[in-house]
Amino acid sequence: MTTVQIVLDSIDKVKSFVSDITHFPTDFDLISGRYVIDAKSIMGIFSLDLSKPITLNIHSDSNMDDIMKSLDPYLYKG
């Protein structure tokens, strides 16, 4: 499992994020406080506080280069 911080600070970013990760046959979880949400669920993402970075757990050991390349626009760089 790999963990990264991402920022989803607009509706368009949420839509494109879900579209990008849906192509991968692996599980992604978003963690905000005590909530764990399926990252492929747009409705679930909108239930989180999107004003700050969110933890993303990637449950995969293969395709990590492709996954990280796809996630690059969303990674928290602070």
Side-chain angles (χ1 to χ4, degrees):
M1 181 173 72
T2 303
T3 301
V4 296
Q5 293 287 316
I6 62 168
V7 176
L8 300 173
D9 54 3
S10 72
I11 292 171
D12 290 333
K13 245 185 168 177
V14 171
K15 288 183 196 175
S16 62
F17 169 76
V18 172
S19 176
D20 289 347
I21 67 168
T22 301
H23 300 324
F24 297 104
T26 189
D27 291 330
F28 296 85
D29 294 326
L30 287 172
I31 301 167
S32 179
R34 61 188 176 104
Y35 299 103
V36 178
I37 303 293
D38 178 0
K40 294 180 181 180
S41 167
I42 289 179
M43 294 300 291
I45 293 172
F46 283 123
S47 71
L48 300 175
D49 178 6
L50 300 178
S51 66
K52 54 188 174 187
I54 304 167
T55 302
L56 174 68
N57 285 343
I58 306 162
H59 300 277
S60 177
D61 293 325
S62 61
N63 295 335
M64 282 308 295
D65 289 337
D66 293 335
I67 291 171
M68 292 307 291
K69 186 176 181 181
S70 177
L71 292 175
D72 189 60
Y74 316 103
L75 294 176
Y76 177 63
K77 303 194 174 33

